[in-house]
PDB file of all heavy atoms in Angstrom:
ATOM      1  N   GLN V   1    -147.696 217.492-125.949  1.00  0.00           N
ATOM      2  CA  GLN V   1    -147.539 217.601-127.395  1.00  0.00           C
ATOM      3  C   GLN V   1    -148.178 216.387-128.090  1.00  0.00           C
ATOM      4  O   GLN V   1    -147.697 215.267-127.952  1.00  0.00           O
ATOM      5  CB  GLN V   1    -146.057 217.696-127.775  1.00  0.00           C
ATOM      6  CG  GLN V   1    -145.273 218.724-126.995  1.00  0.00           C
ATOM      7  CD  GLN V   1    -145.909 220.099-127.011  1.00  0.00           C
ATOM      8  OE1 GLN V   1    -146.175 220.657-128.080  1.00  0.00           O
ATOM      9  NE2 GLN V   1    -146.131 220.662-125.829  1.00  0.00           N
ATOM     10  N   ALA V   2    -149.235 216.620-128.833  1.00  0.00           N
ATOM     11  CA  ALA V   2    -149.975 215.517-129.446  1.00  0.00           C
ATOM     12  C   ALA V   2    -149.172 214.783-130.510  1.00  0.00           C
ATOM     13  O   ALA V   2    -149.471 213.628-130.831  1.00  0.00           O
ATOM     14  CB  ALA V   2    -151.279 216.045-130.047  1.00  0.00           C
ATOM     15  N   ASP V   3    -148.151 215.427-131.072  1.00  0.00           N
ATOM     16  CA  ASP V   3    -147.414 214.797-132.168  1.00  0.00           C
ATOM     17  C   ASP V   3    -146.075 214.198-131.713  1.00  0.00           C
ATOM     18  O   ASP V   3    -145.246 213.835-132.540  1.00  0.00           O
ATOM     19  CB  ASP V   3    -147.169 215.785-133.299  1.00  0.00           C
ATOM     20  CG  ASP V   3    -146.448 217.049-132.840  1.00  0.00           C
ATOM     21  OD1 ASP V   3    -146.361 217.271-131.618  1.00  0.00           O
ATOM     22  OD2 ASP V   3    -145.978 217.803-133.704  1.00  0.00           O
ATOM     23  N   LEU V   4    -145.873 214.081-130.400  1.00  0.00           N
ATOM     24  CA  LEU V   4    -144.663 213.453-129.886  1.00  0.00           C
ATOM     25  C   LEU V   4    -145.029 212.169-129.149  1.00  0.00           C
ATOM     26  O   LEU V   4    -145.887 212.180-128.258  1.00  0.00           O
ATOM     27  CB  LEU V   4    -143.914 214.388-128.932  1.00  0.00           C
ATOM     28  CG  LEU V   4    -143.369 215.691-129.512  1.00  0.00           C
ATOM     29  CD1 LEU V   4    -142.638 216.482-128.433  1.00  0.00           C
ATOM     30  CD2 LEU V   4    -142.436 215.419-130.697  1.00  0.00           C
ATOM     31  N   TYR V   5    -144.366 211.083-129.510  1.00  0.00           N
ATOM     32  CA  TYR V   5    -144.551 209.792-128.850  1.00  0.00           C
ATOM     33  C   TYR V   5    -143.375 209.594-127.899  1.00  0.00           C
ATOM     34  O   TYR V   5    -142.210 209.747-128.285  1.00  0.00           O
ATOM     35  CB  TYR V   5    -144.592 208.681-129.904  1.00  0.00           C
ATOM     36  CG  TYR V   5    -144.532 207.273-129.353  1.00  0.00           C
ATOM     37  CD1 TYR V   5    -145.695 206.635-128.919  1.00  0.00           C
ATOM     38  CD2 TYR V   5    -143.327 206.589-129.286  1.00  0.00           C
ATOM     39  CE1 TYR V   5    -145.641 205.338-128.437  1.00  0.00           C
ATOM     40  CE2 TYR V   5    -143.267 205.286-128.803  1.00  0.00           C
ATOM     41  CZ  TYR V   5    -144.430 204.670-128.372  1.00  0.00           C
ATOM     42  OH  TYR V   5    -144.375 203.388-127.899  1.00  0.00           O
ATOM     43  N   CYS V   6    -143.641 209.254-126.648  1.00  0.00           N
ATOM     44  CA  CYS V   6    -142.583 209.169-125.643  1.00  0.00           C
ATOM     45  C   CYS V   6    -142.598 207.818-124.937  1.00  0.00           C
ATOM     46  O   CYS V   6    -143.654 207.340-124.498  1.00  0.00           O
ATOM     47  CB  CYS V   6    -142.756 210.281-124.609  1.00  0.00           C
ATOM     48  SG  CYS V   6    -141.483 210.297-123.308  1.00  0.00           S
ATOM     49  N   GLU V   7    -141.422 207.200-124.840  1.00  0.00           N
ATOM     50  CA  GLU V   7    -141.243 205.971-124.071  1.00  0.00           C
ATOM     51  C   GLU V   7    -140.322 206.263-122.889  1.00  0.00           C
ATOM     52  O   GLU V   7    -139.289 206.923-123.041  1.00  0.00           O
ATOM     53  CB  GLU V   7    -140.632 204.862-124.923  1.00  0.00           C
ATOM     54  CG  GLU V   7    -141.557 204.392-126.035  1.00  0.00           C
ATOM     55  CD  GLU V   7    -140.940 203.322-126.916  1.00  0.00           C
ATOM     56  OE1 GLU V   7    -139.709 203.108-126.850  1.00  0.00           O
ATOM     57  OE2 GLU V   7    -141.691 202.691-127.685  1.00  0.00           O
ATOM     58  N   THR V   8    -140.676 205.747-121.721  1.00  0.00           N
ATOM     59  CA  THR V   8    -139.887 205.905-120.506  1.00  0.00           C
ATOM     60  C   THR V   8    -139.332 204.548-120.098  1.00  0.00           C
ATOM     61  O   THR V   8    -140.099 203.610-119.858  1.00  0.00           O
ATOM     62  CB  THR V   8    -140.745 206.480-119.364  1.00  0.00           C
ATOM     63  OG1 THR V   8    -141.293 207.744-119.764  1.00  0.00           O
ATOM     64  CG2 THR V   8    -139.923 206.660-118.102  1.00  0.00           C
ATOM     65  N   TYR V   9    -138.009 204.444-120.047  1.00  0.00           N
ATOM     66  CA  TYR V   9    -137.347 203.171-119.757  1.00  0.00           C
ATOM     67  C   TYR V   9    -136.906 203.132-118.294  1.00  0.00           C
ATOM     68  O   TYR V   9    -136.107 203.950-117.855  1.00  0.00           O
ATOM     69  CB  TYR V   9    -136.123 202.997-120.656  1.00  0.00           C
ATOM     70  CG  TYR V   9    -136.448 202.763-122.117  1.00  0.00           C
ATOM     71  CD1 TYR V   9    -136.955 203.788-122.913  1.00  0.00           C
ATOM     72  CD2 TYR V   9    -136.228 201.523-122.707  1.00  0.00           C
ATOM     73  CE1 TYR V   9    -137.251 203.577-124.251  1.00  0.00           C
ATOM     74  CE2 TYR V   9    -136.514 201.297-124.047  1.00  0.00           C
ATOM     75  CZ  TYR V   9    -137.024 202.331-124.810  1.00  0.00           C
ATOM     76  OH  TYR V   9    -137.318 202.118-126.137  1.00  0.00           O
ATOM     77  N   THR V  10    -137.429 202.153-117.550  1.00  0.00           N
ATOM     78  CA  THR V  10    -137.059 201.969-116.147  1.00  0.00           C
ATOM     79  C   THR V  10    -136.503 200.554-116.000  1.00  0.00           C
ATOM     80  O   THR V  10    -137.193 199.651-115.559  1.00  0.00           O
ATOM     81  CB  THR V  10    -138.262 202.150-115.210  1.00  0.00           C
ATOM     82  OG1 THR V  10    -139.226 201.144-115.495  1.00  0.00           O
ATOM     83  CG2 THR V  10    -138.895 203.520-115.394  1.00  0.00           C
ATOM     84  N   GLY V  11    -135.259 200.363-116.395  1.00  0.00           N
ATOM     85  CA  GLY V  11    -134.689 199.015-116.370  1.00  0.00           C
ATOM     86  C   GLY V  11    -135.283 198.189-117.485  1.00  0.00           C
ATOM     87  O   GLY V  11    -135.186 198.549-118.657  1.00  0.00           O
ATOM     88  N   ASP V  12    -135.955 197.082-117.147  1.00  0.00           N
ATOM     89  CA  ASP V  12    -136.516 196.205-118.157  1.00  0.00           C
ATOM     90  C   ASP V  12    -137.964 196.515-118.496  1.00  0.00           C
ATOM     91  O   ASP V  12    -138.605 195.772-119.245  1.00  0.00           O
ATOM     92  CB  ASP V  12    -136.411 194.738-117.709  1.00  0.00           C
ATOM     93  CG  ASP V  12    -135.107 194.101-118.162  1.00  0.00           C
ATOM     94  OD1 ASP V  12    -134.390 194.736-118.964  1.00  0.00           O
ATOM     95  OD2 ASP V  12    -134.807 192.982-117.718  1.00  0.00           O
ATOM     96  N   THR V  13    -138.512 197.583-117.957  1.00  0.00           N
ATOM     97  CA  THR V  13    -139.887 197.957-118.269  1.00  0.00           C
ATOM     98  C   THR V  13    -139.897 199.268-119.041  1.00  0.00           C
ATOM     99  O   THR V  13    -139.235 200.229-118.663  1.00  0.00           O
ATOM    100  CB  THR V  13    -140.730 198.106-116.985  1.00  0.00           C
ATOM    101  OG1 THR V  13    -140.656 196.891-116.232  1.00  0.00           O
ATOM    102  CG2 THR V  13    -142.187 198.377-117.337  1.00  0.00           C
ATOM    103  N   VAL V  14    -140.648 199.264-120.145  1.00  0.00           N
ATOM    104  CA  VAL V  14    -140.787 200.456-120.983  1.00  0.00           C
ATOM    105  C   VAL V  14    -142.231 200.923-120.872  1.00  0.00           C
ATOM    106  O   VAL V  14    -143.158 200.191-121.222  1.00  0.00           O
ATOM    107  CB  VAL V  14    -140.444 200.151-122.452  1.00  0.00           C
ATOM    108  CG1 VAL V  14    -140.504 201.433-123.282  1.00  0.00           C
ATOM    109  CG2 VAL V  14    -139.069 199.502-122.561  1.00  0.00           C
ATOM    110  N   TYR V  15    -142.433 202.131-120.367  1.00  0.00           N
ATOM    111  CA  TYR V  15    -143.776 202.650-120.129  1.00  0.00           C
ATOM    112  C   TYR V  15    -144.179 203.663-121.200  1.00  0.00           C
ATOM    113  O   TYR V  15    -143.379 204.484-121.628  1.00  0.00           O
ATOM    114  CB  TYR V  15    -143.851 203.333-118.766  1.00  0.00           C
ATOM    115  CG  TYR V  15    -143.760 202.386-117.595  1.00  0.00           C
ATOM    116  CD1 TYR V  15    -142.543 202.203-116.928  1.00  0.00           C
ATOM    117  CD2 TYR V  15    -144.874 201.680-117.151  1.00  0.00           C
ATOM    118  CE1 TYR V  15    -142.450 201.338-115.845  1.00  0.00           C
ATOM    119  CE2 TYR V  15    -144.790 200.820-116.072  1.00  0.00           C
ATOM    120  CZ  TYR V  15    -143.579 200.644-115.417  1.00  0.00           C
ATOM    121  OH  TYR V  15    -143.477 199.782-114.350  1.00  0.00           O
ATOM    122  N   VAL V  16    -145.455 203.578-121.586  1.00  0.00           N
ATOM    123  CA  VAL V  16    -146.040 204.515-122.546  1.00  0.00           C
ATOM    124  C   VAL V  16    -147.426 204.874-122.049  1.00  0.00           C
ATOM    125  O   VAL V  16    -148.184 203.999-121.606  1.00  0.00           O
ATOM    126  CB  VAL V  16    -146.133 203.893-123.957  1.00  0.00           C
ATOM    127  CG1 VAL V  16    -146.890 204.828-124.910  1.00  0.00           C
ATOM    128  CG2 VAL V  16    -144.750 203.595-124.505  1.00  0.00           C
ATOM    129  N   GLY V  17    -147.770 206.160-122.124  1.00  0.00           N
ATOM    130  CA  GLY V  17    -149.121 206.577-121.783  1.00  0.00           C
ATOM    131  C   GLY V  17    -150.099 206.098-122.847  1.00  0.00           C
ATOM    132  O   GLY V  17    -149.798 206.137-124.041  1.00  0.00           O
ATOM    133  N   LEU V  18    -151.262 205.640-122.439  1.00  0.00           N
ATOM    134  CA  LEU V  18    -152.235 205.108-123.399  1.00  0.00           C
ATOM    135  C   LEU V  18    -152.613 206.132-124.455  1.00  0.00           C
ATOM    136  O   LEU V  18    -152.866 205.776-125.610  1.00  0.00           O
ATOM    137  CB  LEU V  18    -153.493 204.637-122.659  1.00  0.00           C
ATOM    138  CG  LEU V  18    -153.422 203.241-122.040  1.00  0.00           C
ATOM    139  CD1 LEU V  18    -154.649 202.977-121.192  1.00  0.00           C
ATOM    140  CD2 LEU V  18    -153.293 202.185-123.135  1.00  0.00           C
ATOM    141  N   HIS V  19    -152.646 207.404-124.104  1.00  0.00           N
ATOM    142  CA  HIS V  19    -153.005 208.432-125.078  1.00  0.00           C
ATOM    143  C   HIS V  19    -152.001 208.458-126.230  1.00  0.00           C
ATOM    144  O   HIS V  19    -152.367 208.706-127.381  1.00  0.00           O
ATOM    145  CB  HIS V  19    -153.055 209.803-124.411  1.00  0.00           C
ATOM    146  CG  HIS V  19    -151.715 210.335-124.023  1.00  0.00           C
ATOM    147  ND1 HIS V  19    -150.976 209.812-122.981  1.00  0.00           N
ATOM    148  CD2 HIS V  19    -150.959 211.338-124.552  1.00  0.00           C
ATOM    149  CE1 HIS V  19    -149.838 210.465-122.882  1.00  0.00           C
ATOM    150  NE2 HIS V  19    -149.796 211.409-123.817  1.00  0.00           N
ATOM    151  N   ASN V  20    -150.724 208.155-125.943  1.00  0.00           N
ATOM    152  CA  ASN V  20    -149.696 208.146-126.974  1.00  0.00           C
ATOM    153  C   ASN V  20    -149.959 207.048-127.999  1.00  0.00           C
ATOM    154  O   ASN V  20    -149.858 207.264-129.209  1.00  0.00           O
ATOM    155  CB  ASN V  20    -148.322 207.923-126.360  1.00  0.00           C
ATOM    156  CG  ASN V  20    -147.478 209.185-126.302  1.00  0.00           C
ATOM    157  OD1 ASN V  20    -146.370 209.162-125.825  1.00  0.00           O
ATOM    158  ND2 ASN V  20    -148.001 210.297-126.794  1.00  0.00           N
ATOM    159  N   ARG V  21    -150.279 205.861-127.530  1.00  0.00           N
ATOM    160  CA  ARG V  21    -150.516 204.742-128.452  1.00  0.00           C
ATOM    161  C   ARG V  21    -151.692 205.063-129.368  1.00  0.00           C
ATOM    162  O   ARG V  21    -151.624 204.855-130.582  1.00  0.00           O
ATOM    163  CB  ARG V  21    -150.803 203.463-127.661  1.00  0.00           C
ATOM    164  CG  ARG V  21    -151.194 202.270-128.540  1.00  0.00           C
ATOM    165  CD  ARG V  21    -149.995 201.445-128.896  1.00  0.00           C
ATOM    166  NE  ARG V  21    -150.285 200.494-129.975  1.00  0.00           N
ATOM    167  CZ  ARG V  21    -149.586 199.383-130.172  1.00  0.00           C
ATOM    168  NH1 ARG V  21    -148.569 199.087-129.384  1.00  0.00           N
ATOM    169  NH2 ARG V  21    -149.864 198.571-131.165  1.00  0.00           N
ATOM    170  N   ALA V  22    -152.762 205.561-128.796  1.00  0.00           N
ATOM    171  CA  ALA V  22    -153.940 205.883-129.602  1.00  0.00           C
ATOM    172  C   ALA V  22    -153.624 206.938-130.654  1.00  0.00           C
ATOM    173  O   ALA V  22    -154.046 206.835-131.807  1.00  0.00           O
ATOM    174  CB  ALA V  22    -155.076 206.349-128.692  1.00  0.00           C
ATOM    175  N   GLN V  23    -152.874 207.956-130.250  1.00  0.00           N
ATOM    176  CA  GLN V  23    -152.524 209.031-131.183  1.00  0.00           C
ATOM    177  C   GLN V  23    -151.719 208.489-132.364  1.00  0.00           C
ATOM    178  O   GLN V  23    -151.981 208.832-133.524  1.00  0.00           O
ATOM    179  CB  GLN V  23    -151.705 210.100-130.465  1.00  0.00           C
ATOM    180  CG  GLN V  23    -152.496 210.943-129.485  1.00  0.00           C
ATOM    181  CD  GLN V  23    -151.582 211.774-128.611  1.00  0.00           C
ATOM    182  OE1 GLN V  23    -150.379 211.557-128.560  1.00  0.00           O
ATOM    183  NE2 GLN V  23    -152.158 212.725-127.892  1.00  0.00           N
ATOM    184  N   TRP V  24    -150.746 207.651-132.070  1.00  0.00           N
ATOM    185  CA  TRP V  24    -149.853 207.181-133.118  1.00  0.00           C
ATOM    186  C   TRP V  24    -150.495 206.149-134.025  1.00  0.00           C
ATOM    187  O   TRP V  24    -150.243 206.126-135.224  1.00  0.00           O
ATOM    188  CB  TRP V  24    -148.566 206.647-132.498  1.00  0.00           C
ATOM    189  CG  TRP V  24    -147.701 207.800-132.145  1.00  0.00           C
ATOM    190  CD1 TRP V  24    -147.685 208.503-130.988  1.00  0.00           C
ATOM    191  CD2 TRP V  24    -146.790 208.462-133.018  1.00  0.00           C
ATOM    192  NE1 TRP V  24    -146.807 209.556-131.068  1.00  0.00           N
ATOM    193  CE2 TRP V  24    -146.240 209.551-132.297  1.00  0.00           C
ATOM    194  CE3 TRP V  24    -146.375 208.229-134.326  1.00  0.00           C
ATOM    195  CZ2 TRP V  24    -145.296 210.405-132.845  1.00  0.00           C
ATOM    196  CZ3 TRP V  24    -145.424 209.081-134.865  1.00  0.00           C
ATOM    197  CH2 TRP V  24    -144.910 210.162-134.138  1.00  0.00           C
ATOM    198  N   GLU V  25    -151.354 205.313-133.488  1.00  0.00           N
ATOM    199  CA  GLU V  25    -152.054 204.357-134.339  1.00  0.00           C
ATOM    200  C   GLU V  25    -153.017 205.091-135.267  1.00  0.00           C
ATOM    201  O   GLU V  25    -153.181 204.720-136.433  1.00  0.00           O
ATOM    202  CB  GLU V  25    -152.794 203.327-133.486  1.00  0.00           C
ATOM    203  CG  GLU V  25    -151.853 202.328-132.826  1.00  0.00           C
ATOM    204  CD  GLU V  25    -152.595 201.264-132.050  1.00  0.00           C
ATOM    205  OE1 GLU V  25    -153.710 201.547-131.582  1.00  0.00           O
ATOM    206  OE2 GLU V  25    -152.048 200.158-131.910  1.00  0.00           O
ATOM    207  N   ALA V  26    -153.656 206.135-134.761  1.00  0.00           N
ATOM    208  CA  ALA V  26    -154.560 206.927-135.593  1.00  0.00           C
ATOM    209  C   ALA V  26    -153.780 207.607-136.706  1.00  0.00           C
ATOM    210  O   ALA V  26    -154.214 207.641-137.865  1.00  0.00           O
ATOM    211  CB  ALA V  26    -155.300 207.954-134.742  1.00  0.00           C
ATOM    212  N   LEU V  27    -152.620 208.151-136.375  1.00  0.00           N
ATOM    213  CA  LEU V  27    -151.783 208.814-137.377  1.00  0.00           C
ATOM    214  C   LEU V  27    -151.357 207.836-138.460  1.00  0.00           C
ATOM    215  O   LEU V  27    -151.432 208.138-139.653  1.00  0.00           O
ATOM    216  CB  LEU V  27    -150.548 209.413-136.707  1.00  0.00           C
ATOM    217  CG  LEU V  27    -149.531 210.064-137.651  1.00  0.00           C
ATOM    218  CD1 LEU V  27    -150.135 211.267-138.335  1.00  0.00           C
ATOM    219  CD2 LEU V  27    -148.280 210.472-136.877  1.00  0.00           C
ATOM    220  N   ALA V  28    -150.934 206.652-138.058  1.00  0.00           N
ATOM    221  CA  ALA V  28    -150.490 205.647-139.027  1.00  0.00           C
ATOM    222  C   ALA V  28    -151.632 205.236-139.937  1.00  0.00           C
ATOM    223  O   ALA V  28    -151.448 205.052-141.147  1.00  0.00           O
ATOM    224  CB  ALA V  28    -149.935 204.435-138.302  1.00  0.00           C
ATOM    225  N   SER V  29    -152.817 205.094-139.371  1.00  0.00           N
ATOM    226  CA  SER V  29    -153.978 204.690-140.159  1.00  0.00           C
ATOM    227  C   SER V  29    -154.376 205.774-141.157  1.00  0.00           C
ATOM    228  O   SER V  29    -154.637 205.493-142.330  1.00  0.00           O
ATOM    229  CB  SER V  29    -155.149 204.382-139.223  1.00  0.00           C
ATOM    230  OG  SER V  29    -156.301 204.050-139.962  1.00  0.00           O
ATOM    231  N   GLU V  30    -154.399 207.028-140.706  1.00  0.00           N
ATOM    232  CA  GLU V  30    -154.802 208.140-141.557  1.00  0.00           C
ATOM    233  C   GLU V  30    -153.850 208.329-142.736  1.00  0.00           C
ATOM    234  O   GLU V  30    -154.255 208.691-143.833  1.00  0.00           O
ATOM    235  CB  GLU V  30    -154.846 209.434-140.740  1.00  0.00           C
ATOM    236  CG  GLU V  30    -155.962 209.475-139.720  1.00  0.00           C
ATOM    237  CD  GLU V  30    -155.824 210.658-138.782  1.00  0.00           C
ATOM    238  OE1 GLU V  30    -154.936 211.504-139.023  1.00  0.00           O
ATOM    239  OE2 GLU V  30    -156.587 210.737-137.803  1.00  0.00           O
ATOM    240  N   MET V  31    -152.551 208.062-142.517  1.00  0.00           N
ATOM    241  CA  MET V  31    -151.553 208.346-143.533  1.00  0.00           C
ATOM    242  C   MET V  31    -151.064 207.100-144.271  1.00  0.00           C
ATOM    243  O   MET V  31    -150.114 207.162-145.038  1.00  0.00           O
ATOM    244  CB  MET V  31    -150.365 209.064-142.893  1.00  0.00           C
ATOM    245  CG  MET V  31    -150.737 210.363-142.203  1.00  0.00           C
ATOM    246  SD  MET V  31    -149.300 211.271-141.594  1.00  0.00           S
ATOM    247  CE  MET V  31    -148.552 211.797-143.148  1.00  0.00           C
ATOM    248  N   ALA V  32    -151.707 205.966-144.033  1.00  0.00           N
ATOM    249  CA  ALA V  32    -151.237 204.696-144.600  1.00  0.00           C
ATOM    250  C   ALA V  32    -151.136 204.734-146.120  1.00  0.00           C
ATOM    251  O   ALA V  32    -150.182 204.215-146.704  1.00  0.00           O
ATOM    252  CB  ALA V  32    -152.155 203.563-144.169  1.00  0.00           C
ATOM    253  N   GLU V  33    -152.103 205.376-146.775  1.00  0.00           N
ATOM    254  CA  GLU V  33    -152.088 205.411-148.241  1.00  0.00           C
ATOM    255  C   GLU V  33    -151.242 206.570-148.759  1.00  0.00           C
ATOM    256  O   GLU V  33    -150.443 206.407-149.677  1.00  0.00           O
ATOM    257  CB  GLU V  33    -153.519 205.513-148.769  1.00  0.00           C
ATOM    258  CG  GLU V  33    -154.350 204.262-148.524  1.00  0.00           C
ATOM    259  CD  GLU V  33    -155.710 204.345-149.193  1.00  0.00           C
ATOM    260  OE1 GLU V  33    -155.915 205.278-150.013  1.00  0.00           O
ATOM    261  OE2 GLU V  33    -156.558 203.485-148.904  1.00  0.00           O
ATOM    262  N   ALA V  34    -151.400 207.729-148.159  1.00  0.00           N
ATOM    263  CA  ALA V  34    -150.684 208.911-148.646  1.00  0.00           C
ATOM    264  C   ALA V  34    -149.190 208.832-148.343  1.00  0.00           C
ATOM    265  O   ALA V  34    -148.363 209.275-149.139  1.00  0.00           O
ATOM    266  CB  ALA V  34    -151.279 210.173-148.025  1.00  0.00           C
ATOM    267  N   ALA V  35    -148.848 208.253-147.195  1.00  0.00           N
ATOM    268  CA  ALA V  35    -147.430 208.175-146.786  1.00  0.00           C
ATOM    269  C   ALA V  35    -147.188 206.836-146.086  1.00  0.00           C
ATOM    270  O   ALA V  35    -147.136 206.770-144.859  1.00  0.00           O
ATOM    271  CB  ALA V  35    -147.079 209.340-145.870  1.00  0.00           C
ATOM    272  N   PRO V  36    -147.060 205.754-146.857  1.00  0.00           N
ATOM    273  CA  PRO V  36    -146.900 204.422-146.255  1.00  0.00           C
ATOM    274  C   PRO V  36    -145.677 204.302-145.358  1.00  0.00           C
ATOM    275  O   PRO V  36    -145.646 203.469-144.458  1.00  0.00           O
ATOM    276  CB  PRO V  36    -146.789 203.497-147.470  1.00  0.00           C
ATOM    277  CG  PRO V  36    -146.446 204.381-148.627  1.00  0.00           C
ATOM    278  CD  PRO V  36    -147.085 205.694-148.331  1.00  0.00           C
TER     279      PRO V  36
END
């Protein structure tokens, strides 16, 4: 799901797939003015 960001917690390490970070940063950038 391209619109879901997921974090996996394994004790003290939190893992995220690189594709998730890219998707969410792009979303934040695109909507920064319209929806801060």
Side-chain angles (χ1 to χ4, degrees):
Q1 311 308 305
D3 56 347
L4 297 181
Y5 170 85
C6 181
E7 294 178 346
T8 302
Y9 290 71
T10 63
D12 270 350
T13 304
V14 184
Y15 290 99
V16 174
L18 278 173
H19 71 289
N20 255 179
R21 175 93 193 203
Q23 288 168 347
W24 281 89
E25 287 183 332
L27 176 65
S29 177
E30 291 170 7
M31 302 186 70
E33 292 186 11

